[in-house]
Amino acid sequence: MNPPAHNPTMLDVAQAAGVSRALVSIVMRDAPGASPATREHVKRIAAQLGYVPDARARALRTQDRPAIGVVFRVDQPFHTALLDSLYGAAEQAHRPVVLSAITAARGEQRALESLISNRCGAVIMLEPHLPPRLLREITRQLPLIAVATSLTDRGIDSVTSDDAMGMTQAINHLTELGHQRIWFAESHNSGGNPERRAAFLAETARMGEKAGTVVEGGDVEGAGARVAKLFLNTQERPTAVACFNDACAAGLQDVLVRAHVRVPQEVSIIGFDDAPLASLPYRELTTIAQDLATLGRTAVELAIKRSQQAAPDAVLRRIPTHLRTRGTTARSIPSTI
Amino acid sequence: MNPPAHNPTMLDVAQAAGVSRALVSIVMRDAPGASPATREHVKRIAAQLGYVPDARARALRTQDRPAIGVVFRVDQPFHTALLDSLYGAAEQAHRPVVLSAITAARGEQRALESLISNRCGAVIMLEPHLPPRLLREITRQLPLIAVATSLTDRGIDSVTSDDAMGMTQAINHLTELGHQRIWFAESHNSGGNPERRAAFLAETARMGEKAGTVVEGGDVEGAGARVAKLFLNTQERPTAVACFNDACAAGLQDVLVRAHVRVPQEVSIIGFDDAPLASLPYRELTTIAQDLATLGRTAVELAIKRSQQAAPDAVLRRIPTHLRTRGTTARSIPSTI
């Protein structure tokens, strides 16, 4: 079979395969209405012709719609989980997505620059750490949306979970269970931490002067392990620990289990994010879920809106959070001291 | 300050900042030789002018060097860890990288198509699952390299770790410790599994008919948890378990710890990959390390070579593995039965 001289179309595939154009469309879209044998036949012919289903046509349709760039961290499950909703929202808007990863050897600035030189029409940055001043300068060239960090007061459009709401849900859950001595294992470099910290202090202050203590945590399992060491070496242990995220909570839980501290009988643990590890059957972390679908969709919508019209002031979109009660929180047992 | 009419160059930045072009270069490359105050000043001026350091110049230099596309899974730490070396190797070759992620809602075929329509010059696929026939058809259009799965016998260039070597290292380590009843928790859908399984059976067969048993595992923590259930419900327990990867080993370890089975005193566990979780201080998994730097560099080199010259036969590059001994393997204690 000789391939057509032009870029093969769905019609070329249909003619070569001896089927209707509509059937080719059904097969290429994986829509119902074709037998497995037909699907295989059509896909084989399409591949032989070099026909690229959907994507190339989509690219033609969207060629005046510049790509949305996304800067994310490969080692943050929260970031990679967000990609799903970002892809979905961009696809609905017929916009291609270009990813640029922050890795051990590739910093945030380089990740951002590669998107700018790629002529993206807008950039979404997950938890940016670059100086807001630098980011603001970039917004003069193209729309830039910060996700999971509010930089609105620094002039950057931002989409975040309502971190204060999330922490308030966590502390209310714990106080309803009777906890009166609670730690917050913060992650002081992470987006959202200032809001979570402030909400933690406000909520626990109402319970009395010594109810709430902020300790150094982090956003990875190893940080949670260090919180566990602190817990084990403290005279006046808390009855509950709210962790910055689920990875930190998992590290804390794992070390306590190994030290024969019973969770939740001796200490309740609550995470943040509802990451996949939180629902593992042996882990069953109580956590605060972020609404990834809405976060991603809102970020894409805002990026597109900004690429169509500039606005004088940076806006903030706050997405509500939800408490997921699982097995690591329970009623506080009154201390015998 | 009025921005220059043309795309600003390093010289424009130097003139506007009142410094030498060499100093701008130092600052933009984060090379030693400038004070923090100077760095800040130069970066501020550069941002005001809309100068994009490095990347745009690189893009100009590389505009006739098409991008290398990479298809990866966001939920596989082994994949995201590989991105680092892929980026590094591509940068050395002055080739841009375009990532395309496989997520919960975005399949492998769509991830691949978006790269093809992006006019990448070559595609590197991490653990491809698409039918080799389809992949082979694509190689008629552009070079396609499979990583972490050997499809060489199906006509696809492949770069993998030497999985047989890795499993042999694992079993030799265990037999040197006196283990005589060993399980392999396989992941039957994963690249590399056929080679690891065959090596496991070959090595354990030499020890006697009942020395080696293959059980159903997987490549995530939850799969390891299921292996643990099997272990706990088995009359004749193995003294050691080799897991398909570290996530599976961690899930096994976590459930055994919770069931008060002592690791490694009662059972040794060995993983594969040397993922970040393997070296967590409370986990200390013995594992088989894959050489990510060499895997990534070799894949990029092969992709570039293939885009310059076609070769009649698909090639296979096998990268050696290394045993990392940590705390989850120990001498087998002779059974009293």
Side-chain angles (χ1 to χ4, degrees):
Chain A
M1 173 171 20
N2 290 320
H6 56 93
N7 272 343
T9 64
M10 228 182 248
L11 195 59
D12 295 320
V13 178
Q15 287 172 345
V19 301
S20 70
R21 190 190 167 290
L23 186 56
V24 175
S25 175
I26 284 168
V27 171
M28 291 303 158
R29 285 165 203 287
D30 282 329
S35 72
T38 300
R39 286 188 197 280
E40 188 167 318
H41 171 63
V42 169
K43 287 199 172 176
R44 186 185 173 79
I45 298 289
Q48 282 173 353
L49 290 180
Y51 170 78
V52 179
D54 275 8
R56 189 170 292 170
R58 209 159 46 225
L60 287 174
R61 278 201 308 277
T62 63
Q63 65 188 359
D64 55 345
R65 296 168 188 262
I68 295 175
V70 176
V71 176
F72 72 106
R73 271 165 222 278
V74 293
D75 63 350
Q76 267 297 340
F78 170 67
H79 289 199
T80 50
L82 249 177
L83 294 184
D84 218 9
S85 76
L86 290 168
Y87 268 126
E91 185 164 351
Q92 282 226 315
H94 301 296
R95 293 274 199 148
V97 168
V98 176
L99 301 182
S100 191
I102 299 173
T103 68
R106 188 176 194 257
E108 190 175 350
Q109 184 147 1
R110 177 160 298 171
L112 178 58
E113 286 164 2
S114 92
L115 292 180
I116 296 172
S117 69
N118 234 319
R119 277 165 298 179
C120 284
V123 172
I124 292 171
M125 296 188 74
L126 309 190
E127 273 186 273
H129 285 79
L130 287 172
R133 210 182 51 206
L134 174 62
L135 299 181
R136 208 166 49 234
E137 298 291 347
I138 288 166
T139 63
R140 294 190 190 170
Q141 305 171 59
L142 85 173
L144 188 151
I145 314 293
V147 172
T149 299
S150 171
L151 297 174
T152 309
D153 62 342
R154 316 293 288 274
I156 315 278
D157 291 322
S158 304
V159 178
T160 76
S161 281
D162 191 333
D163 290 288
M165 176 194 272
M167 184 52 72
T168 302
Q169 288 165 331
I171 303 306
N172 278 347
H173 173 61
L174 294 172
T175 54
E176 280 168 11
L177 291 169
H179 293 277
Q180 296 186 310
R181 200 160 62 244
I182 308 175
W183 280 5
F184 171 45
E186 72 169 341
S187 178
H188 70 270
N189 259 329
S190 297
N193 192 66
E195 290 81 359
R196 293 182 204 176
R197 188 184 210 278
F200 172 80
L201 291 172
E203 293 297 321
T204 52
R206 287 200 253 137
M207 298 154 50
E209 209 180 308
K210 288 186 158 183
T213 304
V214 177
V215 301
E216 196 182 325
D219 60 1
V220 291
E221 280 91 339
R226 288 191 296 273
V227 174
K229 289 271 162 65
L230 196 65
F231 176 95
L232 295 169
N233 293 324
T234 298
Q235 288 283 337
E236 210 177 20
R237 290 180 179 172
T239 63
V241 182
C243 294
F244 178 77
N245 70 2
D246 292 332
C248 180
L252 170 61
Q253 180 188 32
D254 284 344
V255 174
L256 294 187
V257 163
R258 283 158 174 79
H260 309 294
V261 173
R262 289 169 308 144
V263 178
Q265 292 85 346
E266 295 176 64
V267 61
S268 286
I269 298 177
I270 186 166
F272 212 106
D273 288 351
D274 200 14
L277 64 78
S279 56
L280 283 171
Y282 57 88
R283 207 174 268 301
E284 286 295 344
L285 277 177
T286 296
T287 188
I288 302 296
Q290 303 197 54
D291 181 349
L292 298 183
T294 307
L295 275 170
R297 195 182 60 240
T298 307
V300 167
E301 284 170 359
L302 190 53
I304 292 172
K305 190 178 156 200
R306 282 304 202 200
S307 63
Q308 286 160 349
Q309 59 181 91
D313 297 318
V315 302
L316 172 62
R317 303 264 193 271
R318 261 196 225 287
I319 314 299
T321 56
H322 303 277
L323 173 70
R324 289 258 185 287
T325 310
R326 295 201 183 94
T328 56
T329 48
R331 187 151 290 284
S332 173
I333 291 162
S335 166
T336 53
I337 303 167
Chain B
M1 171 175 16
N2 290 320
H6 56 93
N7 273 342
T9 64
M10 230 182 246
L11 195 58
D12 295 320
V13 177
Q15 286 172 345
V19 301
S20 70
R21 190 190 167 289
L23 186 56
V24 175
S25 175
I26 284 169
V27 171
M28 291 304 160
R29 286 166 201 286
D30 283 328
S35 71
T38 300
R39 285 186 198 279
E40 189 167 316
H41 171 65
V42 169
K43 287 200 171 174
R44 187 185 171 80
I45 299 289
Q48 283 173 352
L49 289 180
Y51 170 77
V52 180
D54 276 9
R56 189 169 294 170
R58 210 162 43 228
L60 288 173
R61 279 201 307 276
T62 63
Q63 65 187 359
D64 56 350
R65 296 167 188 262
I68 295 175
V70 176
V71 176
F72 72 108
R73 269 165 226 277
V74 294
D75 63 350
Q76 266 298 339
F78 170 67
H79 289 198
T80 51
L82 248 176
L83 294 184
D84 218 10
S85 75
L86 291 169
Y87 268 125
E91 184 164 350
Q92 284 226 315
H94 302 296
R95 292 275 199 145
V97 168
V98 176
L99 301 182
S100 191
I102 299 172
T103 68
R106 189 175 194 258
E108 190 174 350
Q109 184 148 0
R110 176 159 300 171
L112 179 58
E113 286 165 3
S114 93
L115 293 179
I116 296 172
S117 69
N118 235 318
R119 278 164 298 179
C120 285
V123 172
I124 292 171
M125 297 188 74
L126 309 190
E127 272 186 272
H129 286 80
L130 287 173
R133 209 184 49 205
L134 173 61
L135 300 181
R136 209 167 47 235
E137 298 290 347
I138 288 166
T139 62
R140 294 190 190 171
Q141 304 172 58
L142 86 173
L144 188 150
I145 314 293
V147 172
T149 298
S150 172
L151 298 174
T152 309
D153 62 341
R154 316 292 290 271
I156 316 279
D157 291 323
S158 305
V159 179
T160 76
S161 281
D162 192 332
D163 291 287
M165 176 194 274
M167 184 53 72
T168 302
Q169 287 165 331
I171 302 307
N172 277 347
H173 172 60
L174 294 172
T175 53
E176 281 168 12
L177 291 169
H179 293 277
Q180 296 185 310
R181 200 160 61 244
I182 308 175
W183 281 5
F184 170 45
E186 72 169 340
S187 178
H188 70 269
N189 259 330
S190 299
N193 191 67
E195 289 82 359
R196 294 183 203 176
R197 187 185 211 278
F200 172 81
L201 290 172
E203 291 298 320
T204 52
R206 286 199 253 136
M207 297 154 51
E209 209 180 309
K210 289 186 158 182
T213 304
V214 177
V215 301
E216 196 182 326
D219 60 0
V220 291
E221 281 91 339
R226 288 190 296 274
V227 174
K229 289 272 162 63
L230 195 65
F231 176 95
L232 294 169
N233 293 325
T234 298
Q235 288 283 338
E236 209 177 22
R237 291 181 177 171
T239 63
V241 182
C243 294
F244 178 76
N245 71 2
D246 292 333
C248 180
L252 170 61
Q253 181 188 31
D254 284 346
V255 174
L256 293 187
V257 164
R258 283 158 174 79
H260 309 292
V261 174
R262 288 170 309 144
V263 178
Q265 293 86 344
E266 294 175 66
V267 60
S268 286
I269 298 177
I270 185 165
F272 212 107
D273 288 350
D274 200 14
L277 65 77
S279 56
L280 283 171
Y282 58 87
R283 207 175 268 299
E284 286 294 345
L285 277 177
T286 296
T287 187
I288 302 297
Q290 303 198 52
D291 181 350
L292 297 183
T294 306
L295 275 169
R297 194 182 61 240
T298 307
V300 168
E301 284 169 0
L302 190 53
I304 292 172
K305 190 178 154 200
R306 283 303 201 201
S307 62
Q308 287 159 350
Q309 59 180 92
D313 296 318
V315 302
L316 172 63
R317 302 264 192 271
R318 260 196 226 287
I319 314 299
T321 56
H322 303 277
L323 173 70
R324 290 257 184 288
T325 310
R326 295 201 184 93
T328 56
T329 48
R331 186 151 291 285
S332 172
I333 291 163
S335 167
T336 52
I337 304 165

